[in-house]
Structures are given as C-alpha cells and as structure tokens.
Amino acid sequence: MAFTIKVNGNTHSVDVDGDTPLLWVLRDVLGMTGTKFGCGMALCGACTVHLDGSPVRSCITTIDSVGDSVVTTIEAIGATAAGAKIQKAWLDREVPQCGYCQSGQIMSASALLASNPHPTDADIDDAMSGNICRCGTYVRIREAIKQAASGQRG
Ligand code: FES
Ligand code: FES
C-alpha cells in the first residue's frame, strides 16, 4: 500500500505494508541509515526520530500511524536551532565513543532543548533516560546538553 510521508522537508511516496515500522522505511526504503536499529522494542532509544518535533521510537512507530506528521531525522536535525546547538556541543565535548547510540541521543537532546531551553539535571535525566549507551557516555552527554543550553563554548 502506498503512503506519503514528509521527511526532512521532502515528501516521499513509499509502497509498504501499513504495519511496517518507520525505522525500516527510513533505512531500507529511503536509504537514510543515520537512524539506528538497536533493540526493536522501544527499549534503547537508538532509533529516535522526531514526529512534529517530539521524540518517538521509530522501531515501534508504524508507517500507517505517521499520517501528516513531519518526520525529522539525524540527517536534518542540524538545520534546527536546537539541533545545531546540540551537535556543536557534542563535537566540543567529544561525546561519542563507538557512536552507535549517538544519533538517538542527539535527537532526544535536541527535542529537550527545543521544548525546554534551560533544563535542570532532573529534566535532562528524565528526557534522556530512555536512551541507552553501552559505552557509558552519560556524563559527557549531560555536560554537552548543559553547554548547549548555556551557549558556552567547550
Ligand atoms: S531500536 Fe527502537 S528503541 Fe531500540
Ligand atoms: S557511544 Fe557507544 S553505545 Fe553510546
């Protein structure tokens, strides 16, 4: 069945079953592999994208539930004000280790900063708690979010 979805400012028509996860549409149909597959069960956050600016787990978001919502992925988050600040802070703080979780981390952090420009530690913990990092980069992630929120250089 054909679905029309809006991703990063572009409109795509995709022919997939309605219960196909958005993650597979992004990666396998559209070839956008920046969004990662970790658990497939909404447990790790690696697949996080934005739907109308809110973070969602694309591994459990079926294509037939997306509708007219605007999808933003790691490939375009740098074009948003919050995403640009987060990505700069990520570079300044050298956050990634293996990198596998990091696109999901950046998507959750960008959504947090866009909705809450001055998050507390509790706000950060709450917003990021669903994003798992097996390399343990949590301390640098928190520092980077604080830097992005304060506008300080690294
Ligand atoms: S792959 Fe979606 S939450 Fe883990
Ligand atoms: S940087 Fe390796 S899993 Fe997070």
Side-chain angles (χ1 to χ4, degrees), residues 81-83 85-86 108-119 145-146 148-150:
K85 287 180 188 172
I86 288 291
S108 290
S110 299
L112 168 64
L113 198 65
S115 65
N116 180 355
H118 302 290
I145 293 172
K146 287 182 173 179
S150 70

Side-chain angles (χ1 to χ4, degrees), residues 16-136:
V16 294
D17 290 340
D19 61 357
T20 305
L22 175 59
L23 177 60
W24 299 138
V25 173
L26 293 172
R27 289 182 57 86
D28 293 350
V29 180
L30 301 180
M32 301 172 66
T33 54
T35 306
K36 302 305 183 192
F37 170 54
C39 65
M41 299 169 64
L43 298 172
C44 75
C47 66
T48 304
V49 301
H50 293 183
L51 273 192
D52 292 334
S54 296
V56 300
R57 306 303 188 226
S58 64
C59 67
I60 59 157
T61 303
T62 58
I63 191 69
D64 62 3
S65 71
V66 173
D68 287 334
S69 295
V70 171
V71 181
T72 305
T73 71
I74 187 67
E75 285 87 352
I77 196 62
T80 69
K85 287 180 188 172
I86 288 291
Q87 286 190 325
K88 181 181 182 312
W90 244 244
L91 287 172
D92 286 347
R93 298 282 174 171
E94 299 182 344
V95 172
Q97 193 160 321
C98 82
Y100 200 83
C101 72
Q102 295 293 328
S103 54
Q105 304 280 4
I106 286 171
M107 296 308 288
S108 290
S110 299
L112 168 64
L113 198 65
S115 65
N116 180 355
H118 302 290
T120 64
D121 284 359
D123 293 336
I124 293 171
D125 289 348
D126 189 48
M128 304 302 294
S129 63
N131 287 83
I132 306 301
C133 176
R134 65 189 171 190
C135 300

